[in-house]
Amino acid sequence: MSSWLNLAVVAVGGALGSIARYGITLAMTSIPGGSSMIGTTAANVAGCAAMGALAEYSLLNDHFPPRLLLGLRVGFLGALTTFSTFTAESMLLAGEQRWPAAVFYVAANLFLGWAALFLMANLVKGWLA
């Protein structure tokens, strides 16, 4: 039962996070000179800020409900942006003074993400040509 409840909490958080991301993108595209890329950047920065605040708050508050933390971190912020999770994980490595691992993690995520996007875009372009 607990795992089903966890899934439900993540699902609700994810739904709200994706709606928030869409709202941010709509807002950024509606301003003069705005674009969806500005919306993505705004969502990523907001997600990183929220992840940092939430991480610190939950560390300082022993009574923070674990299920609420799950819904906010994995669900809401995960849907708002995976960049916040990526940033939090790389900062954890850096905070542990594991600099080579932190640098490798950042470089691998950026390179592999870019490479996967490039590869799949070209494969789809080839299939549709």
Side-chain angles (χ1 to χ4, degrees):
M1 173 102 168
S2 176
S3 61
W4 284 106
L5 187 53
N6 287 349
L7 289 174
V9 167
V10 170
V12 169
L16 295 173
S18 53
I19 290 168
R21 183 182 185 109
Y22 182 62
I24 290 168
T25 299
L26 287 178
M28 293 298 113
T29 58
S30 69
I31 62 173
S35 70
S36 64
M37 288 179 65
I38 294 171
T40 297
T41 301
N44 285 339
V45 172
C48 288
M51 182 68 83
L54 184 59
E56 285 300 316
Y57 182 78
S58 66
L59 285 175
L60 297 173
N61 184 348
D62 293 333
H63 304 293
F64 199 86
R67 194 163 278 137
L68 178 58
L69 190 60
L70 178 68
L72 291 172
R73 289 180 74 183
V74 177
F76 184 80
L77 293 175
L80 179 65
T81 172
T82 58
F83 192 74
S84 60
T85 301
F86 164 71
T87 303
E89 291 169 347
S90 63
M91 287 302 298
L92 177 65
L93 291 170
E96 293 172 351
Q97 303 298 309
R98 297 172 57 196
W99 293 106
V103 169
F104 178 78
Y105 184 70
V106 169
N109 273 273
L110 293 175
F111 175 77
L112 293 173
W114 184 88
L117 185 145
F118 180 81
L119 176 64
M120 291 307 293
N122 281 296
L123 284 172
V124 170
K125 187 190 310 183
W127 289 334
L128 297 177

